[in-house]
């Protein structure tokens, strides 16, 4: 889960716990959830989450909304309108901000006294520091009275309020985000559009000026460089209506990790006057910001440019507004920093390769930051329109607001430094990021398995992850080394993780199902088959080929589970089912063996591991001689015959993760569905704490005090092992989402929504940043499991190879609208079940979709089908969960089309 693992030492607390040794039991722990004969009712007062969410007052304090393209670095928008966490320099960089990076507004009504303010709302407490608040970004200059921040990723909006200002000011901030188009969603650029409306009864002159110190290789970025002369340059550029400053540093070497350039620009509206400074007036002490402010405050314009200037460039737009009129000032920020290295970003490299440039994909597309800004400016209307189509489709879905909020907020992880694309175009992900370095490198399989964003919205990125797992990371024996080193193809890291390996096999099936690309499946199948059958090798997890995983199973909790357990075992069942489906499609006779193992393993797990309430582990130690050498070398002197760090009889929050993935992929039930339902009820009964006042944990704390949460493992019904597995008492949102989403699939609608609402209530802008769900690092990849809430409630399953569609919403709403996506198209559907007839309208907003048949809720009777109002020849028969409408021939829907079906 959370650490590169024990080639470096185990986590400190694991070392301390190991001193106690053994696996003796403690007395049963009292659960803070009160057991009941049946599952407890959901809380009557679950947190009310709106969507989109609006934050004001102290709830602005923690907001940092990531802006930037997928895998291209990010700059975050703070709740007050300030930019923070400039993470565009090839590594995470929490707290980093160039000096004097701020917007300012100037306005004068008629001949009255002008008002000048930093275009942010007032700074929030605390105000303490060794120099007070210091002087960076001029905290002592006046700011606007208040702000209201609205966030629905990828769009952020701020409404500023100040009675002294004769204009109303709002900010729209975003970077293009278009599902299925990773290129257009991967621009190294940000739009900051300030809208201004004259609220006075007379003419108003208004200006906005953006300033920033040249950030390219500044002393603060590289303090070790010493007192060398400052070689940074700021150059004025104008191209049509695009005007701005390109900031660079010719003094840096071509391969310096900080080498690159940054653009501050604006799309100058007609009738607007731009003025620019390549630098503020040079001065000692604080003369420079004082003289800049004197200049701007005098007339709302910049200049003349001083002969002696520093590296703080500024760009100003000015116009005159008649009463009631409005305008918009679109500022663009763009960047290009090509020299990503493993060492710089925190990724582990093969020996001697830490300083090798692995590059950035976006830098292959754009030769400079100015080119990126120019491209965004020239294509802004198209890119914004499609981005807003996606946002509107999600907003218009009649899903619980908390489900939409969770799904939307965690999409932002793709734009953070958790993710990047190397120069060859391949997609890579840390588990999360520390403040100044990636945390837990390698596209870690057993973490990235939980998310459903890449395969649902960006299939090219999903395939890139599969290319890594089934490429060089797959060794000759069939083990997927669960962390990829970069540069790729030179050395493997570590060993295989049982859960990671099985999950990746399920992911291949899902990628194929969504796309229908059987040629791709055929090309990767021999390696997928080898990975599945690796479990059968001598010393493997299923060496006796009975469908039950045994032995030492490394997993997402950074330990080995010894013996049969539900977490890894049901994952294996999912991989066997996925393998069966893929093998049958390709005519591989191995499908029958996969089926045999699945049936035997499923029956065994239900009979041997299900207690009547949930599934448990049978701890079975093994001889060190039966453990793979690579895994064994990481264990030190651990006693593998009497292992510590086990689940035992505890109720594990993600014991059904394999079934969760099977649900999202449409693979059906892996174990008895009655047992699944009972297990989910037990997770709600035991793992769910309505508050944490009495919850004991000495581990990392991600929730506390009055916050309700699902804990990783509860021992309220069993003896806890003396040394249980690490993290057992923690709370982590990715695991919570997995359980909550599964509740939605299992018909526990209110319980699942409650658990998701509780998570998002914790991320309220005051306690935590709503766009940063942490686990082992900020912006943790596992939390993108939140997207699965949409998959669960929509009940939308498309099979591209068979050109079939099944829509059976798990929502109680009789009139239900929801976003949907496949690997080739996305849009919305509306299902109306308010009458005995089920009526479906499927709207395609982007891409193309081939369809032969659809299955909807309904009973035998009349049916109808039409495309854009024209009737379609079809036949209908009972089947699946309802009625199947089969077209006489394939149809292809394109953007703008609407399909109408009724049964």
């Amino acid at each position: 889960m959370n650490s590169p693992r024990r080639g470096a030492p185990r986590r400190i607390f694991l070392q301390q716990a190991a001193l106690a040794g053994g696996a003796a039991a403690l007395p049963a722990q009292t659960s803070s959830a009160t057991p009941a004969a049946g599952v407890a009712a959901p809380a009557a007062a679950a947190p009310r989450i709106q969507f989109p969410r609006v934050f004001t007052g102290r709830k602005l304090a923690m907001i940092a909304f990531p802006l930037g393209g997928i895998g291209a670095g990010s700059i975050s928008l703070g709740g007050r309108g300030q930019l923070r966490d400039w993470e565009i320099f090839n590594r995470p960089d929490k707290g980093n901000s160039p000096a004097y990076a701020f917007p300012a507004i100037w306005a004068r009504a008629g001949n009255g006294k002008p008002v000048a303010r930093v275009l942010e709302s007032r700074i929030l407490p605390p105000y303490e520091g060794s120099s007070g608040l210091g002087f960076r970004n001029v905290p002592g200059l006046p700011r606007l009275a208040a702000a209201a921040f609205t966030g629905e990723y990828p769009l952020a909006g701020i409404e500023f309020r100040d009675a002294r200002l004769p204009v109303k000011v709002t900010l729209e901030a975003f970077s293009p985000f278009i599902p299925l188009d990773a290129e257009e969603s991967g621009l190294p650029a940000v739009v900051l559009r300030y809208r201004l409306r004259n609220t006075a009864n007379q003419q108003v002159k208004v200006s906005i000026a953006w300033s920033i110190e040249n950030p390219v290789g500044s002393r603060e970025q590289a303090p070790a460089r010493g007192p060398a002369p400052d070689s940074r340059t700021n150059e004025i550029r104008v191209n049509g209506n695009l005007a701005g400053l390109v900031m660079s540093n010719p003094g840096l070497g071509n391969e310096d990790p900080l080498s690159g350039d940054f653009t501050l620009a604006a799309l100058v509206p007609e009738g607007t006057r731009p003025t620019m400074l390549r630098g503020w007036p040079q001065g000692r002490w604080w003369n420079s910001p004082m003289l800049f402010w004197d200049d701007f405050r005098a007339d709302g314009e910049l200049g003349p440019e001083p002969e002696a200037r520093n590296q703080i460039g500024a760009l100003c737009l000015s116009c005159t507004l008649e009463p009631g009129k409005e305008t918009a000032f679109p500022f663009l920020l763009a960047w290009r920093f090509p020299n990503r290295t493993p060492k710089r970003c925190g990724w582990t490299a093969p020996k001697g390769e830490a300083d090798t440039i692995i590059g950035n994909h976006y830098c292959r597309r754009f030769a400079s930051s100015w080119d990126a800004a120019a491209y965004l400016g020239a294509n802004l209307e198209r890119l914004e329109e499609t981005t807003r189509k996606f946002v509107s489709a999600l907003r218009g879905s009649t899903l619980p607001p908390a489900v939409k909020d969770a799904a939307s907020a965690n999409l932002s992880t793709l734009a953070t430094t958790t993710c990047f694309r190397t120069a060859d175009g391949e997609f890579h992900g840390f588990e999360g990021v520390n403040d100044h370095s990636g945390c837990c490198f390698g596209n870690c399989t057993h973490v990235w398995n939980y998310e459903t964003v890449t395969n649902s919205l960006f299939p090219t990125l999903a395939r890139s992850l599969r290319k890594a797992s089934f490429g060089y990371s797959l060794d000759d024996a069939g083990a997927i080394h669960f962390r990829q080193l970069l540069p790729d193809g030179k050395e493997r890291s570590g060993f295989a993780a049982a859960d990671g390996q099985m999950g990746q096999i399920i992911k291949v099936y899902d990628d194929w199902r969504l796309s229908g690309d059987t040629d791709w499946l055929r090309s990767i199948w021999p390696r997928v088959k080898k990975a599945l059958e690796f479990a059968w090798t001598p010393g493997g997890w299923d060496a006796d080929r009975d469908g039950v995983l045994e032995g030492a199973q490394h997993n997402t909790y950074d330990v080995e589970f010894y013996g049969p357990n539900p977490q890894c075992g049901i994952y294996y069942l999912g991989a066997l089912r996925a393998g069966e489906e893929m093998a049958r499609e390709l005519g591989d006779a191995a499908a029958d063996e996969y089926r045999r193992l699945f049936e035997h393993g499923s029956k065994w797990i239900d009979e041997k591991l299900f207690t009547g309430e949930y599934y448990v582990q049978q701890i079975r130690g093994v001889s060190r001689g039966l453990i793979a050498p690579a895994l064994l070398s990481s264990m030190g002197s651990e006693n593998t015959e009497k292992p510590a760090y086990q689940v035992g009889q505890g109720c594990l929050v993600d014991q059904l993760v394999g079934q969760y993935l099977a649900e999202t992929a449409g693979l059906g039930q892996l174990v008895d569905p009655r047992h699944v339902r009972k297990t989910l009820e037990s997770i709600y009964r035991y793992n769910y704490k309505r508050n944490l006042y009495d919850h004991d944990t000495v581990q990392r704390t991600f929730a506390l005090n009055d916050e309700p949460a699902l804990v990783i493992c509860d021992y309220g019904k069993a003896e806890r092992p003396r040394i249980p597995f690490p993290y057992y008492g923690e709370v982590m949102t990715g695991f919570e989402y997995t359980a909550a989403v599964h509740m939605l699939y299992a018909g526990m609608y209110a319980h699942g929504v409650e658990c998701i609402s509780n998570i998002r209530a914790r991320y309220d802008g005051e306690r935590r940043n709503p766009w940063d769900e942490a686990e082992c690092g900020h912006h943790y990849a596992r939390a993108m499991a939140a997207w699965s809430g949409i998959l669960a409630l929509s009940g939308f399953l498309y099979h591209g190879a068979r050109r079939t569609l099944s829509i059976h919403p798990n929502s109680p709403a009789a009139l239900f609208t929801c976003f949907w996506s496949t690997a080739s198209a996305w849009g919305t559907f509306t299902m109306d079940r308010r009458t005995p007839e089920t009526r479906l309208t499927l709207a395609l907003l982007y891409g193309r979709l081939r369809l032969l048949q659809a299955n909807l809720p309904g009973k035998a009777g009349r049916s109808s089908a039409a495309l854009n109002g024209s009737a379609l020849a079809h036949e209908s028969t009972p089947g699946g969960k309802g009625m199947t409408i089969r077209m006489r021939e394939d149809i292809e829907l394109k953007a703008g089309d609407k399909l109408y079906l009724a049964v």
Side-chain angles (χ1 to χ4, degrees), residues 537-555:
T537 58
W541 303 306
D542 188 19
D544 58 359
R545 291 172 72 161
D546 66 351
V548 180
L549 290 195
E550 300 170 287
Q553 302 152 59
H554 187 74
N555 61 75

Side-chain angles (χ1 to χ4, degrees), residues 427-626:
F427 178 76
H428 305 280
F430 292 99
E431 293 182 24
V433 295
N434 293 321
D435 286 355
H436 302 294
S437 181
C439 180
C440 308
F441 73 99
N443 324 322
C444 178
T445 56
H446 57 56
V447 168
W448 278 84
N449 277 348
Y450 288 71
E451 65 88 16
T452 52
V453 168
T454 53
N455 51 323
S456 296
L457 298 184
F458 294 100
T460 58
L461 305 185
R463 284 200 188 182
S464 183
L465 293 173
R466 243 55 76 213
K467 182 179 177 180
S469 290
F470 296 96
Y472 187 77
S473 294
L474 184 80
D475 67 22
D476 292 340
I480 299 174
H481 294 244
F482 69 93
R483 295 191 190 276
Q484 179 194 33
L485 301 178
L486 291 176
D488 190 32
K490 298 189 176 186
E491 186 181 320
R492 295 187 182 93
S493 170
F495 41 84
D499 56 350
Q501 184 136 339
M502 299 308 157
Q504 285 296 294
I505 294 165
I506 299 172
K507 291 286 191 179
V508 171
Y509 170 79
D510 208 25
D511 293 342
W512 168 64
R513 175 188 67 84
L514 285 163
S515 69
D517 189 346
T518 303
D519 288 340
W520 172 77
L521 176 63
R522 188 175 290 109
S523 71
I524 198 175
W525 172 244
R527 301 183 71 79
V528 176
K529 182 177 181 180
K530 177 183 282 191
L532 180 54
E533 297 179 6
F534 170 76
W536 309 345
T537 58
W541 303 306
D542 188 19
D544 58 359
R545 291 172 72 161
D546 66 351
V548 180
L549 290 195
E550 300 170 287
Q553 302 152 59
H554 187 74
N555 61 75
T556 198
Y557 295 107
D558 296 333
V559 293
E560 288 66 53
F561 288 165
Y562 290 82
N565 66 86
Q567 199 256 15
C568 296
I570 298 176
Y571 246 134
Y572 182 39
L573 297 181
L576 289 168
R577 276 289 296 119
E580 177 194 355
E581 292 291 324
M582 293 183 285
R584 292 201 191 286
E585 177 70 20
L586 299 175
D588 190 326
D592 292 338
E593 178 66 356
Y594 300 154
R595 184 70 194 184
R596 181 188 73 82
L597 294 179
F598 164 74
E599 291 180 350
H600 186 272
S602 177
K603 181 179 179 181
W604 193 97
I605 287 175
D606 274 324
E607 290 179 352
K608 303 297 184 182
L609 300 186
F610 187 69
T611 67
E613 288 194 286
Y614 54 87
Y615 294 90
V616 297
Q617 177 192 15
Q618 289 186 4
I619 302 175
R620 299 179 187 174
V622 298
S623 165
R624 293 175 70 86
L626 295 177

